[in-house]
Amino acid sequence: MVLIIETIVKVLKACVSPMALFILSLTILFVYIFKAGTNYLNIKKIFKDYISIFSDARKHLWLFWGVPVLLSTALVQVTVLTSELAEHLSVFLSILISAFFAMLSILVSKDTSKQTGKLYEQVLKETASTVLLEIVLCMMSLIISLAIIFLPDSIKCWAQIISIVEYYLVFVMVLNMLILIKRFKALIDNG
C-alpha cells in the first residue's frame, strides 16, 4: 500500500514539474493555433497572406525560410543559447515587437484614397502581412527566450534543439526585414 502511494506521489510531482507544465502548455497552444474554427489564435491566415506575396516566385521562399536552417545549424555549432544570451535576446525581441506594432499602426492608418492604382494597395497589404508575420515570429522567439531563462538547467540535453529553433526564428526575422525594407521603399516612392 505504501509503495502505491509513493508511486502516485511521484507521478503527481512529475505532472506538476515545470518541464511537464511547459510542454503541456505549448501542446495546448499549438493544438489551439492550428485547430480549425479558432478565432483568437488563428495565425494560419497571417501565414497564408504572407505566402501569397510569393505567388509568382515560390523559389524565393527557400531563400527566406531555407537558408536560416543552414545559418542556425552553423551557429549552434559555435554557441548554444545560454540563459544570459536569452536575456539579451529577449530585450532585443521586445524592442522589435514594439517597433513592428508601431509600423503596423502606421500602415493601418495610411489613407489609400489619395493613392491611385491597385499596385499601391497591394504593396500596402503585403507590407502589413509581412509585419504581422514578423510580430508572430518575434513573439514565438520571445516565448522560447523566456523559457530558456526560467527553465532549470536539467534541460541541457535539449539545449541544441532549442537553440536551433531560436536561431532559426531570428534569422527568418532578419531576412524578412529585407522584404520590409523593400516594401517600405516602394510605399515611400509611390506615396
Side-chain angles (χ1 to χ4, degrees), residues 62-81 85 89 141 144 159-175:
W62 287 106
L63 174 68
F64 293 100
W65 292 85
V67 171
V69 171
L70 301 173
L71 292 171
S72 61
T73 305
L75 187 57
V76 82
Q77 292 176 23
V78 175
T79 183
V80 176
L81 194 62
L85 184 57
L89 192 57
S141 187
I144 293 171
Q160 283 189 321
I161 295 170
I162 294 170
S163 296
I164 286 176
V165 172
E166 182 73 5
Y167 293 149
Y168 176 78
L169 289 172
V170 169
F171 284 126
V172 168
M173 282 185 288
V174 168
L175 286 175

Side-chain angles (χ1 to χ4, degrees), residues 95-123:
I95 293 168
L96 269 182
I97 289 171
S98 61
F100 286 134
F101 273 117
M103 284 181 216
L104 190 61
S105 67
I106 291 169
L107 291 173
V108 170
S109 66
K110 190 85 171 142
D111 184 19
T112 59
S113 63
K114 296 176 186 173
Q115 309 305 326
T116 56
K118 288 274 190 189
L119 185 60
Y120 186 85
E121 289 179 27
Q122 179 185 355
V123 171

Side-chain angles (χ1 to χ4, degrees), residues 39-160:
N39 292 330
Y40 298 106
L41 293 177
N42 189 359
I43 60 172
K44 290 183 285 189
K45 176 136 177 50
I46 294 171
F47 279 99
K48 285 180 185 176
D49 289 345
Y50 171 80
I51 289 174
S52 71
I53 295 171
F54 297 98
S55 61
D56 295 335
R58 294 272 185 209
K59 297 180 284 192
H60 294 303
L61 275 173
W62 287 106
L63 174 68
F64 293 100
W65 292 85
V67 171
V69 171
L70 301 173
L71 292 171
S72 61
T73 305
L75 187 57
V76 82
Q77 292 176 23
V78 175
T79 183
V80 176
L81 194 62
T82 62
S83 67
E84 182 181 336
L85 184 57
E87 286 178 25
H88 295 300
L89 192 57
S90 57
V91 169
F92 171 71
L93 291 170
S94 299
I95 293 168
L96 269 182
I97 289 171
S98 61
F100 286 134
F101 273 117
M103 284 181 216
L104 190 61
S105 67
I106 291 169
L107 291 173
V108 170
S109 66
K110 190 85 171 142
D111 184 19
T112 59
S113 63
K114 296 176 186 173
Q115 309 305 326
T116 56
K118 288 274 190 189
L119 185 60
Y120 186 85
E121 289 179 27
Q122 179 185 355
V123 171
L124 187 65
K125 181 183 177 213
E126 289 175 352
T127 306
S129 295
T130 306
V131 170
L132 284 170
L133 180 82
E134 289 282 317
I135 291 171
V136 169
L137 294 176
C138 274
M139 293 176 85
M140 291 169 60
S141 187
L142 185 61
I143 289 170
I144 293 171
S145 292
L146 292 175
I148 294 285
I149 294 168
F150 294 115
L151 286 177
D153 289 337
S154 62
I155 63 160
K156 290 294 184 189
C157 60
W158 292 90
Q160 283 189 321

Side-chain angles (χ1 to χ4, degrees), residues 8-45:
I8 291 172
V9 169
K10 285 181 182 178
V11 168
L12 288 175
K13 282 184 179 180
C15 288
V16 295
S17 70
M19 187 57 126
L21 293 174
F22 185 72
I23 290 171
L24 178 64
S25 300
L26 284 181
T27 304
I28 291 170
L29 282 173
F30 280 121
V31 167
Y32 193 78
I33 285 171
F34 294 107
K35 181 182 173 192
T38 57
N39 292 330
Y40 298 106
L41 293 177
N42 189 359
I43 60 172
K44 290 183 285 189
K45 176 136 177 50

